[in-house]
Amino acid sequence: EDTHVAGLLTEPMQAAIIAYTQRTGRDLYLAFRNREIFAGLASRRGLLEPSVLSSNLHFDWVWAYYQDIALVLKIVEVFDQTH
């Protein structure tokens, strides 16, 4: 089945993507394949990278990471609702 970009990026999904980029100021990478969506987040923080000499368990880092994930999940939810 042919899929067109206009059909993939609905207005609510575009709004969710814009909200993410405006809030974070970072790039968001999206790929679509067989009605699936793949997302990649640009981040300078190494929250998922273990550090030997220090802890990354700072509330502000964890909260920022949580907010990033919540915004991307919003994009995925909108995609799920429309596809």
Side-chain angles (χ1 to χ4, degrees):
E1 176 179 330
D2 288 337
T3 304
H4 300 282
V5 173
L8 289 174
L9 296 176
T10 62
E11 287 188 32
M13 190 169 178
Q14 291 176 40
I17 292 168
I18 291 169
Y20 173 83
T21 57
Q22 286 179 338
R23 189 194 112 16
T24 65
R26 293 192 312 268
D27 292 331
L28 172 67
Y29 303 93
L30 297 174
F32 303 93
R33 182 171 181 254
N34 296 332
R35 296 188 180 267
E36 294 180 328
I37 184 172
F38 301 88
L41 309 174
S43 179
R44 292 192 175 132
R45 294 185 306 259
L47 190 62
L48 298 178
E49 300 290 331
S51 177
V52 176
L53 301 176
S54 65
S55 172
N56 61 356
L57 295 177
H58 301 283
F59 178 79
D60 55 335
W61 292 357
V62 174
W63 180 245
Y65 185 72
Y66 168 79
Q67 289 178 317
D68 288 352
I69 296 298
L71 286 169
V72 172
L73 284 176
K74 180 64 176 171
I75 295 168
V76 173
E77 287 173 3
V78 170
F79 182 78
D80 281 345
Q81 291 172 357
T82 57
H83 296 89

